[in-house]
């Protein structure tokens, strides 16, 4: 059986996303009406990487829907510690559960899991690659709190290279008319080439700037992110980047009165605590929308089937050149590449080859 998985946002059409967002907003208005909608269903949350909000909001969502939860939040407490492969874990768990939400440090890991799963798989973050359910949360938040998803000047600030929430959000907001991106980061932490290529090819206007202070007056939305310490190859490199951007009341005084400040959280020190009381700061509200977003998603995905083949690229024998790709740690995975304008891209992690 070929289930419909959520690995990347483009696994769902624009109209499917629109209905999921509408459903999430209806649930937000009247959560009690949906209690019990998933009675008798089981969700497995497999978290190979730390998480507070994503894992607990998935669990809260399923419990509110009347379903139950199995899973692990520390793979060292599972057979992964004995050397079990991702494939074997997924084959087994997908026999127990009706839906799986998984987070893993390797890029393309959710795609890999989907090849062997007997139930729908949701990507709850695959290394520095993608995080589509955080983006769904962001879209639900903006729909309600900003009133629109189009014609926005969106500033994204911080670790744009390793921040998977940033990659998924840019992909998603590029689908809506009239959005402009202001990418605020150091030169070392700019967005990855595959995201930039998508912006260029889709003729989406964007600028790359160094100063948050200079960029802030023009923004409708400011998406702050932490510097992703765990994705740096050395502590020294992290130390050079940390503390570069701090949103404080002084900088905020230059912003529009209807600016909305989002952050996927956790915050390290990139938002001064004094900003929390500003009505423009909606990052804690955003965490509540995350529960409604995931309730809507689970309801929509349970029992969904996909006619498309799980791998759509060309099965070449060559190994992906990205050391952080799941194919480098799980050797049985069939390599697969998509061709675009003469270049090859790994189908798991999307890294350009060669
Ligand atoms: C983000 C993540 O895990 O990618 N957090 C989240 O899911 N809410 C952001 C981060 O870790 O910085």
């Amino acid at each position: 059986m070929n289930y419909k998985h959520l690995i990347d946002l483009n696994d769902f059409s624009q109209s499917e996303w629109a209905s999921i967002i509408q459903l999430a907003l209806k649930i937000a208005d009247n959560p009690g009406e949906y209690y019990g909608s998933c009675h008798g269903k089981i969700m497995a949350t497999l978290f190979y990487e730390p998480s507070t909000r994503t894992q607990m909001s998935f669990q809260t969502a399923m419990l509110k829907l009347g379903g139950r939860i199995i899973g692990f939040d520390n793979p060292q407490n599972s057979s992964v510690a004995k050397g079990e492969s991702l494939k074997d874990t997924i084959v087994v768990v997908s026999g127990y559960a009706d839906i799986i939400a998984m987070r893993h440090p390797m890029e393309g890991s959710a795609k890999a899991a989907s090849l062997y799963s007997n139930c729908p798989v949701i990507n709850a973050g695959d290394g520095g690659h993608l995080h589509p359910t955080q983006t769904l949360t962001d879209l639900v938040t903006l729909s309600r709190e900003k009133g629109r998803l189009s014609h926005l000047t969106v500033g994204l600030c911080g670790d744009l290279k390793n921040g998977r929430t940033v990659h998924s959000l840019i992909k998603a907001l590029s689908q809506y008319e009239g959005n402009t991106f202001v990418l605020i980061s150091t030169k070392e932490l700019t967005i990855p080439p595959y995201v930039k290529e998508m912006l260029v090819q889709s003729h989406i206007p964007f600028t790359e700037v160094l100063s948050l202070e200079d960029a802030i007056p023009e923004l409708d939305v400011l998406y702050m992110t932490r510097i992703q310490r765990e994705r740096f190859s050395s502590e020294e490199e992290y130390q050079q980047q940390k503390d570069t951007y701090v949103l404080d009341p002084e900088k905020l005084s230059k912003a529009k009165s209807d600016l909305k400040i989002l952050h996927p959280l956790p915050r390290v020190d990139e938002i001064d605590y004094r900003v929390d009381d500003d009505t423009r700061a909606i990052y804690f509200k955003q965490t509540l929308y995350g529960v409604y977003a995931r309730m809507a998603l689970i309801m929509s995905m349970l029992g969904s089937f996909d006619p498309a083949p799980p791998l759509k690229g060309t099965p070449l024998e060559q190994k992906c050149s990205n050391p952080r790709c799941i194919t480098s740690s799980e050797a049985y995975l069939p390599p697969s590449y998509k061709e675009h304008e003469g270049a090859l891209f790994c189908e798991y992690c999307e890294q350009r080859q060669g």
Side-chain angles (χ1 to χ4, degrees), residues 49-55 103 124-125 127 130-131 133-134 162-165 223 225-228 230-231 263-267 270 287 294:
E49 256 195 349
S51 171
T52 298
R53 272 149 297 276
T54 305
Q55 184 185 210
R103 170 173 287 189
L130 297 169
H131 193 347
T133 68
Q134 179 62 46
N162 299 301
R164 53 195 172 196
T165 62
Y223 199 85
T225 62
R226 77 183 165 97
I227 308 298
Q228 307 260 310
E230 69 277 26
R231 314 237 183 260
H263 191 313
L265 302 179
R267 149 173 59 185
E270 59 283 349
T287 65
R294 291 180 173 100

Side-chain angles (χ1 to χ4, degrees), residues 139-288:
L139 297 182
V140 171
T141 306
L142 284 175
S143 300
R144 177 54 53 90
E145 299 292 326
K146 191 70 194 170
R148 64 182 197 275
L149 296 175
S150 54
H151 300 286
L152 294 169
T153 300
V154 182
L156 297 111
C157 178
D159 190 345
L160 309 188
K161 177 183 177 197
N162 299 301
R164 53 195 172 196
T165 62
V166 166
H167 310 154
S168 287
L169 185 59
I170 293 175
K171 276 189 172 187
L173 285 177
S174 297
Q175 301 290 319
Y176 295 87
E177 210 185 311
N179 289 331
T180 302
F181 297 101
V182 183
L183 307 172
I184 309 156
S185 76
T186 61
K187 287 201 167 50
E188 290 78 15
L189 297 182
T190 55
I191 52 168
Y194 76 90
V195 181
K196 198 176 283 184
E197 275 167 39
M198 182 278 299
L199 288 172
V200 172
Q201 274 159 23
S202 315
H203 306 288
I204 314 283
F206 70 96
T207 49
E208 294 186 280
V209 300
L210 281 170
S211 164
L212 171 59
E213 200 157 4
D214 292 349
I216 207 166
E218 61 173 314
L219 304 179
D220 300 311
V221 176
L222 172 58
Y223 199 85
M224 291 297 295
T225 62
R226 77 183 165 97
I227 308 298
Q228 307 260 310
R229 184 181 206 149
E230 69 277 26
R231 314 237 183 260
F232 281 76
S233 46
S234 74
E235 178 63 19
E236 197 189 338
E237 280 174 58
Y238 168 71
Q239 290 298 333
Q240 281 163 9
Q241 296 293 329
K242 80 184 226 321
D243 305 332
T244 315
Y245 297 104
V246 180
L247 178 64
D248 56 24
E250 292 70 44
K251 290 194 191 82
L252 198 49
S253 68
K254 301 195 169 74
K256 289 182 184 172
S257 59
D258 61 351
L259 171 75
K260 299 293 173 200
I261 306 160
L262 279 76
H263 191 313
L265 302 179
R267 149 173 59 185
V268 181
D269 48 16
E270 59 283 349
I271 301 183
D272 187 314
Y273 279 74
R274 288 174 295 162
V275 171
D276 297 356
D277 298 326
D278 192 297
T279 51
R280 292 170 285 188
I282 57 167
Y283 32 86
F284 290 122
K285 268 189 186 169
Q286 192 183 349
T287 65
L288 294 175

Side-chain angles (χ1 to χ4, degrees), residues 13-85:
S13 67
Q14 275 298 96
S15 66
E16 284 173 315
W17 283 122
S19 340
I20 295 171
I21 292 168
Q22 282 319 310
L23 178 57
L25 292 172
K26 276 165 75 181
I27 297 172
D29 290 336
N30 205 346
E33 213 171 276
Y34 299 85
Y35 292 173
S37 309
C38 294
H39 179 75
K41 299 290 184 186
I42 294 177
M43 162 170 265
T45 53
L46 305 183
F47 277 66
Y48 293 76
E49 256 195 349
S51 171
T52 298
R53 272 149 297 276
T54 305
Q55 184 185 210
M56 288 194 210
S57 64
F58 264 119
Q59 296 181 342
T60 305
M62 192 53 166
L63 292 172
K64 280 185 187 288
L65 292 169
R68 290 168 193 231
I69 303 293
I70 58 170
F72 56 74
D73 52 18
N74 178 355
Q76 292 310 312
N77 294 336
S78 78
S79 285
V80 175
K82 302 178 192 167
E84 185 165 72
S85 68

